[in-house]
């Protein structure tokens, strides 16, 4: 069988409101052609992100009732801590209300002005938090990971030679940590192999640099290792995760992804002095160490979610649902990153709309069209998100890829919704030559894609 049926029954439903083409054209225009500024109620299938959009299970909702809202030492914190220690193995567990706070707490404590931080591909908040703290974020993903059509089982792998060059060129003292993002979000939700993690860990040990994981989608990454890497097919996904984290010194985590919750995150690390400094800062900006910006019930549902996400029937369905959408699009000649990754489909907008130049944001033009034609909300990951203007020369630097990400929320949409998305893209294909590029009217200095206003050229 190619695809699996949803391994759950639906016991609560949220109706989707219908909108007309005319209404959507008006709404997106009012939003400055920025899908972040659209009311979610006016969306048919919302594939903006897989972050914080998961459906919780009956077991998690039951756990909500067991929230112990004591200011300090709630029982839910101990359950949270025990669950994370069991899977991730790190010594200190620091709850935060989102992944980016874990990033900021870590980076503001270890990055000095001009430090260089290698990663396979930095996610946007990771990059922004590094730069805000005076660091330079460098991507070291393998070249195959940058070629959208290239088939490779672990396109998220770090290029070990690139990594060593970054360390040698900048000096060990200027590299305060190495990060591996699993799966590699900005690089297409592509997994990193256990072998690559071992190799990076050896480099990290040789130079005595701490190795951290950006672990948001660790379970999906571990499922790919089980599926694709020799020697892992008989191991459970949990065992694979335990082995993987043992190669590192800590991780940042947004529980809004593989935590299967709507809000939450944590920082986990072995360095106890650093953990103490970070905890002191946590009290200042997030909350007491046993709640860190979350309610007791939130900690409880994260603990339950982290156990559920390792269920292999769930992961099998999850990865195959993405694969199904990928197959439907490929059958309709829509160019996408191959092979499909863990949480999203990435349309190669440069290949799909070759008549729109990079400085006119081809991927954003397609994002807008998806909303107009089908009420589908996707996100641009290209020049709008990552384009940079050189402060001295005024020259615009474009990223290599112009992508439209269709991120699939966990346990929310059925395979029939995937079919619908594919039908809409098929319709767009017929008239794609008429699509126009876009021009920026307003932009903020950092993370501009969230608030940008655009118009057609
Ligand atoms: C979502 C995400 C983050 C940030 O987490 P938030 O909970 O959104 O703050 C960091 N890194 C990666 C790879 C992510 O996907």
């Amino acid at each position: 069988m190619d695809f699996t049926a949803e391994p759950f029954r639906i016991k609560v439903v949220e109706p989707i409101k219908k909108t007309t083409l005319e209404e959507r054209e008006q709404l997106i225009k009012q939003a400055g052609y920025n899908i972040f500024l659209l009311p979610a109620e006016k969306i048919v299938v919302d594939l903006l992100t897989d972050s914080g959009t998961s459906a919780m299970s009956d077991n998690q909702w039951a756990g909500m009732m067991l929230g112990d809202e004591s200011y300090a030492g709630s029982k839910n914190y101990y359950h949270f801590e025990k669950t994370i220690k069991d899977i991730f193995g790190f010594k200190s567990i620091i709850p935060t209300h989102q992944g980016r706070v874990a990033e900021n707490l870590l980076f503001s404590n270890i990055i000095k002005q001009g430090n260089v931080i290698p990663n396979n591909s930095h996610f946007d908040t990771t990059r922004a938090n590094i730069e805000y703290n005076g660091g330079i974020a460098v991507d070291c993903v393998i070249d195959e990971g940058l070629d959208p059509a290239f088939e490779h089982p672990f396109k998220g792998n770090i290029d070990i030679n690139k990594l060593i060059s970054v360390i040698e060129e900048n000096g060990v003292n200027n590299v305060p940590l190495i990060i591996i993002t699993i799966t590699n979000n900005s690089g297409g939700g592509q997994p990193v192999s256990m072998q690559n993690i071992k190799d990076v860990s050896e480099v990290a040990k040789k130079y005595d640099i701490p190795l951290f994981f950006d672990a948001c989608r660790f379970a999906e990454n571990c499922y790919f290792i089980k599926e694709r890497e020799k020697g892992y097919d008989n191991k459970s996904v949990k065992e694979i995760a335990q082995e993987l984290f043992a190669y590192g010194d800590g991780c940042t985590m947004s529980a809004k992804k593989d935590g299967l919750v709507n809000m939450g995150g944590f920082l986990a690390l072995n360095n106890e002095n650093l953990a103490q400094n970070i905890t002191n800062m946590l009290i200042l900006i997030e909350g007491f160490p046993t709640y860190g910006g979350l309610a007791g019930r939130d900690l409880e549902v994260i603990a339950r979610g982290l156990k559920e996400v390792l269920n292999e029937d769930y992961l099998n369905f999850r990865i195959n649902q993405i694969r199904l959408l990928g197959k439907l699009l490929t059958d309709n000649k829509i160019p996408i990153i191959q092979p499909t990754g863990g949480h999203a489909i990435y349309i190669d907008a440069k290949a799909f709309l070759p008549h729109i130049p990079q400085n006119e944001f081809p991927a954003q033009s397609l994002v807008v069209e998806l909303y107009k034609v089908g009420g589908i909300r996707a996100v641009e990951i290209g020049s709008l998100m990552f384009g940079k203007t050189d402060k001295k020369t005024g020259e615009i630097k474009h990223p290599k890829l112009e992508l439209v990400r269709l991120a699939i929320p966990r346990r929310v949409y059925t395979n029939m919704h995937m079919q619908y998305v594919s039908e809409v893209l098929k319709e767009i294909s017929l008239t794609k030559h008429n699509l126009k590029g876009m021009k920026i009217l307003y932009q903020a200095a950092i993370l501009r894609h969230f608030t940008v206003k655009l118009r057609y050229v």
Side-chain angles (χ1 to χ4, degrees), residues 49-52 96-103 119 121-127 129 181-186 214-217 252-257 262-265 343 405:
T49 176
D50 63 321
S51 177
T96 61
H97 85 275
Q98 287 202 218
R100 69 195 66 187
V101 183
E103 291 173 344
N119 197 331
S121 305
H122 288 275
F123 179 64
D124 61 357
T125 62
T126 318
R127 179 178 295 278
N129 269 304
T181 307
I182 52 172
T183 57
N184 193 22
N185 187 350
S186 312
D214 183 339
C216 303
R217 298 176 184 79
T252 55
M253 171 84 188
S254 168
K256 299 171 72 174
K257 284 72 174 241
N262 305 114
M263 190 54 71
H343 68 287
R405 185 182 75 177

